[in-house]
Amino acid sequence: MTAISTLLSVIMLPLNLLFYTRFSYEDDVVSSLDWVSLFVALAVVISAIGLGLFASAKIRSHYFNKIANRCGNFAGLALVVFSATMSNTGGDSKLWEHHWTYYASVAAPCILGLIIANILTSFVQLAKPERVTVSVECCYQNIGIATSVALTMVEDNELSEAMGVPLFYGLVEAVAVGLYW
């Protein structure tokens, strides 16, 4: 499910971006979006995931897997630190200086995805491990893709605010999934 949703992000992210910006902003905002940067960011993320899967399948070494896992954990931690730094430097607002509606709207897809998926999978009587898997997959998103898109598509004066969205969403994911288990 994770691999398929990541691959589908190449199509769905631009479509969602186009859909939401058309209804939320003026035409000049939509026309100023840097679509080439978006697709470059998506290609980099998809290539990294593909390379990791390929290396994992071809290199059958416990030592390699251990080192690759440590590098992945370090990269994830570095992304969180980088996002926290970027979302609190520059721009007019810091991550913790928004109106409550900002936090509610960023957290809503994660929380609602977890709740609705859990209700639907219970309704169709999936076994508990299947329910947990589907529910977590419905709320857990690739923060790396969102961060890459924010870095490449948003102008300097709005970058800190844009970087705050995937950072806060990732924090909500960690808490929601941690409490759900």
Side-chain angles (χ1 to χ4, degrees), residues 39-67:
F39 285 107
V40 167
L42 288 172
V44 167
V45 172
I46 298 296
S47 297
I49 292 169
L51 182 62
L53 290 172
F54 179 77
S56 178
K58 293 295 180 184
I59 302 172
R60 305 236 185 248
S61 165
H62 178 69
Y63 179 73
F64 173 78
N65 290 344
K66 191 172 161 182
I67 296 298

Side-chain angles (χ1 to χ4, degrees), residues 30 33 39 50 66 90 92 110 113-114 116 118 120 122 147 151-152 161 166 172 175-177:
V30 176
L33 292 174
F39 285 107
K66 191 172 161 182
D92 294 334
C110 181
L114 189 64
I116 292 169
N118 199 50
L120 291 175
S122 296
T147 303
L151 279 171
T152 58
E161 189 168 347
V172 171
V175 171
V177 171

Side-chain angles (χ1 to χ4, degrees), residues 68-166:
N69 192 17
R70 285 185 182 163
C71 289
N73 288 337
F74 175 76
L77 182 60
L79 179 64
V80 170
V81 170
F82 176 74
S83 296
T85 303
M86 292 298 294
S87 66
N88 286 299
T89 57
D92 294 334
S93 64
K94 308 292 184 236
L95 180 61
W96 304 112
E97 296 177 350
H98 293 283
H99 191 263
W100 70 268
T101 56
Y102 170 87
Y103 304 108
S105 62
V106 172
C110 181
I111 304 300
L112 292 174
L114 189 64
I115 292 169
I116 292 169
N118 199 50
I119 290 169
L120 291 175
T121 55
S122 296
F123 180 73
V124 296
Q125 299 177 343
L126 291 181
K128 187 174 181 179
E130 294 167 333
R131 255 185 284 158
V132 169
T133 301
V134 171
S135 297
V136 168
E137 283 293 330
C138 285
C139 81
Y140 204 79
Q141 301 303 314
N142 190 323
I143 301 305
I145 292 175
T147 303
S148 298
V149 169
L151 279 171
T152 58
M153 292 193 69
V154 179
E155 297 296 322
D156 293 338
N157 57 345
E158 296 172 347
L159 184 59
S160 65
E161 189 168 347
M163 291 293 290
V165 172

